[in-house]
Structures are given as C-alpha cells and as structure tokens.
Amino acid sequence: MDNRNLERLVPSFRHRLLLRTFCRNIPQASSSKLSALEKLALKVAPSAGVSRPSCSKNAEKESRMVGVGLAVYIAESKLFKAVRANKGGGTRKLSIEKQAPIAKVLEECKGVFFPEGKSPIGDNDDFECALLDFKFNTIEEGMSVGGLYEKTKLKMLRFYLALSEVGEESSSDIEEVEELPSVSLDGEEIQFGPFQHGGDVSLEDTVVFHTSTPIHLMEGDVVLVGAEETAPEQVPIVAPETVTPEPVTPKHRPKKTIIIHRENVLKDMVQAFEDADSVNWDVEIEVILPNGEKERATGIGVFRDILSAFWKQFESSVTLGKSLKVPFLRHDYQSKQWESVGRIVVRGYQELKYLPTFLAPVFMEYAINGKEASKPNLLQSFLQYVSEQEREVFQVAMDDFEKADYDELIDVLDIYQCKVNPTAENIHRKLEEISTKELIQSPAFVADCWRDLLQPLQDVDLTQLYSSLKPTVRRVLDHLSLPESMNGAETTTVSHLRRFIRNLTEVELGLFLRYCTGCDLLVSEHITVQFSKMTGLERRPIAHTCGCVLELPVTYESFPEFRSEFMAILNSGIRTMDIL
C-alpha cells in the first residue's frame, strides 16, 4: 500500500511509522492468514490434520486486565465526577481472575485507591462504596469478570469505584476532568482505524504491537488501549502537556467567557460589562486577532493586557486633559455605558489593585465619596489638566500679573468659557472656579453613575495607590528578580537590561512593563529574568505575562544591539499573545 492510501486509513504520521516498522519485522513464516488451498482443505477434509487457528488468546487465559477509576458523587449536580491522579484517582490497571465475582473487583479497587484505608480525599470509612461500569451504571449481582467480557465484547473492561456522601471539604478537591496518564503498550493492542460513535465501538483494523516504550498521546492522534476507552461517555483524549490547571473558583461566581477583538477592545469591554451581574463573574477572556484568528494564550496575563488596552483606548477616546484627565460626555455614552465603565474600574482594582492613574485623583475622590477636594488641590490638579503652554500662562499670571501677556491670557481663558476680565485681584479665584467646573461639574454625571459601584474603593488611599502604581526607573529595577548565580554571558545581559531600563522615558517604562507583565503599571510583585541561547533571526526577548517572566538571549555582542532589538519590539505596536 502506498503512503497516500495508508494516510487515509491512519492519519497520524507517528502511527503510520509504527505500523510500517511493525510490518517490516513480521516473519513471513508466521503469517496468521491461511492460504486459499489451506482454507479449501479445511472445508473438504477437516480431519486431514490441518488445524484451525485459535480465535482469541484471551479465551485461554485464566485472568484478564481491567481498568479501574475513582468517581465521587456530587449532591449539588447529582452527577458522578472522576477524580484526577494527583487527588488519589486516575486510571489503574488490575489483573483479575475471570471467575472472580464483582465483589472481588470492589475489594481490589478499595485496596488500590485507599491504601491502608486512607486517600487524599478522605478515609475509606467516610464513604459508601459501589462498583459501576464505564457508563456509570450499576452491575448485576452475581456477574463475574469473564461473564462481563462475554456480555460486553469489549477488549478491556473499565470499572469505577463510586463514592457517595461526600462532605463540602472533600468535594472541593474533585476535578471534573480526569487526568490522562502516559500509556505503556506492553502486551496491549494499538487500535488503528475509524470508530463508530454510539454505545458500541467498531474498529476496522487491529494490529498487535508489542513495545516497552511508553507512548504519550498527541493532540489529534487516536491511540486506544481497550475499546472501552473510545466510548463517548469517557473523558476526551487530551495531551498531558496541554492540560492547564484552572484556578479554584468560588461557587457563587459563575464562569463567563468574554470575546474581545484586539482592534475593538473599548467597545467590546463596555458591552461585556453592561450586565449588572458582571462584577460577580469569573471572567475568562478570549482575544480575536485582526485576521479573525483566536489568540492561543489564556490566563491572568491576558486579562492584564486587555485591561491595559481598554484604558489606553478609553484615555484617547473618552477623556479630556493633558497629564491628568477626566471623562467627557458623549452622546453615545448614556448611563448604561458609564456604569459599565465603573464596573471595569472596580474589577481591575479587585483583581489587580489596578486603577487608571491618568484620571485626576480629585475627580475619583468625588466619584467615590461625593466630596469635593479643597480649592488649592483642585487648582493644582487643574494645572496638570491643561497643556504646558496654558500652564505657563496661568502660572505667570498668578505669580506676577503685570508680567503676564494679557491678550494671550484672555485667549486661554476664553477656551474655558471665562466671562470675566481677569485682574491681579481675581485671577486666583477665577482659576479655582474654572478648576471646579472642569474637574468636578462637567464630569459630575459620570461620577454619579459610578458612585454606587465604587463603594469597594471607599477606604482606599488614592494618593498612596497612585504613587505605588506609577512606574519609575528605580521601582522597575527593584522589581527585577535575578538568578542567584550567573555566568559571564548572563551577567553581561543583565547589565545591558539595567542600562536599557535607565534610559527609558516614563512612556517607554509603561511599554516595557506592558510587554513583560501585560500591564503598564506596577501591579506585579516582580519580573523574573531568565536566559536563553537563541541566535540569528529567532533571537528576541520573550515575555510570559501570566508569570511575569522575561526571557533574554545571552548572545548579544553589545548594548546597542540589545537596545535596538528590544526597542523595535516595544515600538512595533503589534501585540499577539501566542504562548500557552
């Protein structure tokens, strides 16, 4: 058979390779098939001495292998859930005599899963035990293992030791998906061929293959040890390296998947959090790239990145101001949309202690507590709200009114709709009034929409929080976590990294943090530095945002080379998270 026809029957390249290797090693004289003449001789003269081959070697065995697992009954869902191996469950193989009753299998299972009467999920005496088949159905009394093999016609039986009456403390350790172990095929059969969905499994081809090498399942491959492993009721085949443990979620927080388009983060996030219950969701974010493909990465790093992207788009589209900003009213943002933004503020603080530091603290204080800041504080915030040129004009007028350019002062005041001619006596008072109008009165509708939602922030010291979140060179350097021992090349690379950080501007520091942690503010405890030996075109810094890990090549010949490659990444504006 040529490779094209074989590929239709055996899609996996690895399995085709195993099959071809096996076929080459089959001795020609040991063929199990009878020739046409031998078949004719059997029909014509059965007594001529030609014996028929045995139909099954298993029929001659006094014992058979069975697979056993552990399952616990959950009262809330009224379902049995399989227990993972690291919790004391997993898949075990037992050799049981064919004439042994089911009670014998039950005792063997107890001994396996409760050695000395104890298990990670509790003691044997804490549970009522029963034996179920692979469909979680009860087994008839008096049935033997051999009888079940005859009845089910399966290659290998599978049982579950079912436990009931689980307390709250034990049920918290139960996983819904059973861990799939490495499979050793010593003395077993690899099943090649398509299978039929349904209660029974049909395999067109069976090739016996003996090997002592463990074969790990790969995504997309079909390797079956015993036909019952393919039953639809069983746990789906998943590669062990792709299984990602999920964080424990409180029962009162329903899981919610939010789909965010990378180029439309602001609108998608506002729509997602319009639901009043969204503050209680256990959120998982799926990101869609501009080409329509889904980003591979998941986890807290994705949430940090999307939250940072949301506030960047919010800052440029829905705020006014220079260094400090406040929201401005738009016709397409009604109370529903502003409340959604307020929920995002709360969610970012609760999950990451993140607050958008570009929003003026005096506005945030008013939105949280409904109290206006003092006039001097409002004026100082207003001077950071206006542009540098306007700030200089106001500062000169307040310090020495006679030196101020009167015409320019009138032009700047007209921008803020001042209707009174400024004088040396009233300039301070008028600027304080403008400060109140711009920072409190104009965005007051937004503050009113947020006030009830921002109650969790009432006891927060905004001044201290803002200060701790804003990145500085010293703080970023202090956040670096380096290996205890480094060789010469690694020490040189760290020196390049420190020098690179010291040369970054405030904006570039935010880009650096965004690349390393997913967030442009200091919300992570540290950035762990690791090293690689990549060279050539594949050489580049790699960040793992979920764990806040920065992986640096040690093959840079000079600091300018290091700086050039790192700045190219930060300035590219292309952000794709594709590392699982």
Side-chain angles (χ1 to χ4, degrees):
M1 182 182 295
D2 59 20
N3 189 61
R4 180 178 300 176
N5 292 328
L6 182 61
E7 185 176 359
R8 289 187 299 174
L9 298 175
V10 186
S12 171
F13 173 76
R14 186 173 59 145
H15 293 164
R16 293 199 303 274
L17 185 61
L18 289 173
L19 181 58
R20 288 186 181 279
T21 303
F22 166 75
C23 292
R24 292 192 193 101
N25 296 331
I26 296 178
Q28 295 296 326
S30 62
S31 175
S32 60
K33 293 187 177 180
L34 300 176
S35 66
L37 291 176
E38 289 174 326
K39 292 180 180 179
L40 183 60
L42 286 174
K43 293 181 179 180
V44 176
S47 61
V50 180
S51 60
R52 295 179 182 269
S54 175
C55 295
S56 174
K57 292 183 179 180
N58 288 327
E60 302 174 359
K61 297 180 180 178
E62 296 182 357
S63 62
R64 293 291 301 272
M65 296 295 294
V66 297
V68 294
L70 185 64
V72 184
Y73 183 74
I74 307 300
E76 292 81 355
S77 60
K78 297 182 179 180
L79 294 173
F80 281 97
K81 303 296 182 182
V83 180
R84 284 188 172 186
N86 60 353
K87 300 296 183 182
T91 301
R92 316 292 177 90
K93 298 291 191 299
L94 300 178
S95 177
I96 305 293
E97 294 181 359
K98 291 196 294 185
Q99 301 302 321
I102 294 302
K104 174 67 174 178
V105 181
L106 178 61
E107 292 302 319
E108 291 285 344
C109 290
K110 289 181 181 180
V112 170
F113 292 112
F114 290 92
E116 298 182 358
K118 297 184 179 298
S119 171
I121 64 172
D123 296 342
N124 186 18
D125 296 336
D126 298 336
F127 303 99
E128 292 183 1
C129 303
L131 199 66
L132 304 180
D133 64 12
F134 69 91
K135 294 183 179 180
F136 290 97
N137 296 327
T138 56
I139 303 173
E140 299 177 13
E141 294 185 5
M143 288 292 287
S144 65
V145 173
L148 285 173
Y149 267 111
E150 289 294 326
K151 180 179 179 181
T152 61
K153 306 300 182 183
L154 294 175
K155 292 291 183 182
M156 180 183 289
L157 288 176
R158 182 177 179 86
F159 300 102
Y160 279 97
L161 179 62
L163 310 178
S164 59
E165 294 187 3
V166 182
E168 288 294 326
E169 192 171 322
S170 296
S171 63
S172 63
D173 289 334
I174 297 167
E175 301 287 348
E176 294 191 8
V177 181
E178 182 176 318
E179 181 180 7
L180 190 64
S182 300
V183 179
S184 177
L185 300 181
D186 186 17
E188 300 292 348
E189 294 178 348
I190 303 179
Q191 307 290 339
F192 291 96
F195 61 91
Q196 304 295 328
H197 291 283
D200 296 325
V201 179
S202 174
L203 295 167
E204 294 180 0
D205 298 296
T206 299
V207 179
V208 182
F209 183 78
H210 299 281
T211 176
S212 59
T213 304
I215 296 180
H216 298 273
L217 299 182
M218 299 178 63
E219 186 174 8
D221 293 348
V222 180
V223 180
L224 311 174
V225 183
E228 78 283 4
E229 298 290 342
T230 64
E233 294 81 2
Q234 298 304 303
V235 179
I237 295 177
V238 182
E241 60 271 20
T242 64
V243 177
T244 303
E246 297 183 357
V248 178
T249 304
K251 294 181 180 179
H252 65 277
R253 294 182 64 181
K255 196 173 187 63
K256 180 76 172 181
T257 300
I258 298 177
I259 298 177
I260 303 294
H261 295 79
R262 179 62 75 176
E263 292 187 339
N264 201 25
V265 175
L266 177 64
K267 183 177 179 181
D268 289 348
M269 285 285 283
V270 170
Q271 289 180 348
F273 282 87
E274 286 179 355
D275 192 325
D277 295 331
S278 59
V279 293
N280 298 320
W281 290 343
D282 174 32
V283 175
E284 179 178 334
I285 293 180
E286 291 185 1
V287 181
I288 306 300
L289 297 173
N291 62 3
E293 295 181 359
K294 176 184 171 182
E295 277 189 355
R296 297 174 59 200
T298 59
I300 190 64
V302 177
F303 179 72
R304 283 196 294 258
D305 181 68
I306 290 300
L307 188 67
S308 299
F310 168 81
W311 285 118
K312 282 297 181 185
Q313 294 186 17
F314 182 88
E315 179 182 6
S316 62
S317 304
V318 201
T319 63
L320 291 174
K322 187 64 176 177
S323 297
L324 292 179
K325 306 174 187 291
V326 294
F328 80 96
L329 300 182
R330 292 174 29 162
H331 68 88
D332 56 339
Y333 271 62
Q334 302 298 313
S335 58
K336 184 178 182 180
Q337 286 73 32
W338 287 119
E339 288 172 0
S340 176
V341 176
R343 295 186 188 99
I344 297 174
V345 174
V346 174
R347 192 57 185 263
Y349 176 76
Q350 290 176 335
E351 295 287 337
L352 306 173
K353 293 296 183 288
Y354 180 106
L355 282 183
T357 54
F358 59 84
L359 291 179
V362 292
F363 164 75
M364 290 296 294
E365 193 70 39
Y366 178 72
I368 295 171
N369 300 316
K371 298 179 181 179
E372 291 186 16
S374 62
K375 296 298 183 181
N377 286 341
L378 280 170
L379 182 56
Q380 289 300 318
S381 296
F382 177 70
L383 292 177
Q384 298 180 65
Y385 170 82
V386 300
S387 66
E388 294 181 6
Q389 186 269 337
E390 294 171 348
R391 185 187 311 130
E392 183 179 353
V393 172
F394 290 147
Q395 198 67 56
V396 171
M398 290 187 294
D399 294 341
D400 190 346
F401 190 81
E402 298 299 327
K403 295 181 179 181
D405 187 330
Y406 189 78
D407 291 337
E408 188 175 17
L409 179 60
I410 291 295
D411 291 340
V412 174
L413 289 174
D414 186 60
I415 297 175
Y416 300 101
Q417 301 176 353
C418 179
K419 307 301 182 183
V420 179
N421 289 329
T423 64
E425 290 75 21
N426 68 8
I427 185 63
H428 277 83
R429 186 174 71 257
K430 295 306 173 185
L431 288 179
E432 289 174 351
E433 292 171 356
I434 294 173
S435 302
T436 303
K437 179 180 80 72
E438 293 294 326
L439 302 181
I440 301 298
Q441 294 175 356
S442 294
F445 176 74
V446 179
D448 292 340
C449 291
W450 288 4
R451 187 159 297 121
D452 291 340
L453 298 169
L454 301 187
Q455 293 307 302
L457 279 68
Q458 276 194 334
D459 298 329
V460 176
D461 186 340
L462 291 180
T463 302
Q464 181 180 356
L465 181 60
Y466 271 47
S467 176
S468 65
L469 288 175
K470 290 183 178 179
T472 64
V473 170
R474 183 71 265 162
R475 288 174 181 168
V476 173
L477 289 175
D478 290 342
H479 270 63
L480 297 180
S481 177
L482 305 174
E484 294 183 359
S485 60
M486 297 181 291
N487 57 33
E490 293 170 349
T491 302
T492 301
T493 302
V494 170
S495 177
H496 292 338
L497 176 62
R498 290 182 179 276
R499 184 177 178 183
F500 175 75
I501 294 173
R502 289 191 181 97
N503 291 325
L504 295 178
T505 64
E506 182 178 351
V507 174
E508 290 169 344
L509 280 174
L511 293 175
F512 175 79
L513 288 175
R514 176 91 180 271
Y515 181 73
C516 296
T517 69
C519 185
D520 53 358
L521 300 178
L522 286 170
V523 298
S524 60
E525 295 182 359
H526 54 76
I527 299 172
T528 302
V529 179
Q530 298 179 355
F531 303 100
S532 66
K533 295 182 179 180
M534 291 185 295
T535 58
L537 295 177
E538 69 174 358
R539 185 183 68 182
R540 78 278 187 198
I542 297 177
H544 306 266
T545 57
C546 287
C548 301
V549 175
L550 177 61
E551 187 177 334
L552 296 174
V554 296
T555 53
Y556 292 106
E557 296 181 357
S558 64
F559 170 71
E561 193 176 36
F562 177 92
R563 178 184 59 193
S564 175
E565 289 193 8
F566 216 131
M567 287 304 301
I569 293 174
L570 298 184
N571 293 330
S572 66
I574 301 174
R575 190 167 300 277
T576 302
M577 308 180 76
D578 58 357
I579 300 178
L580 293 175

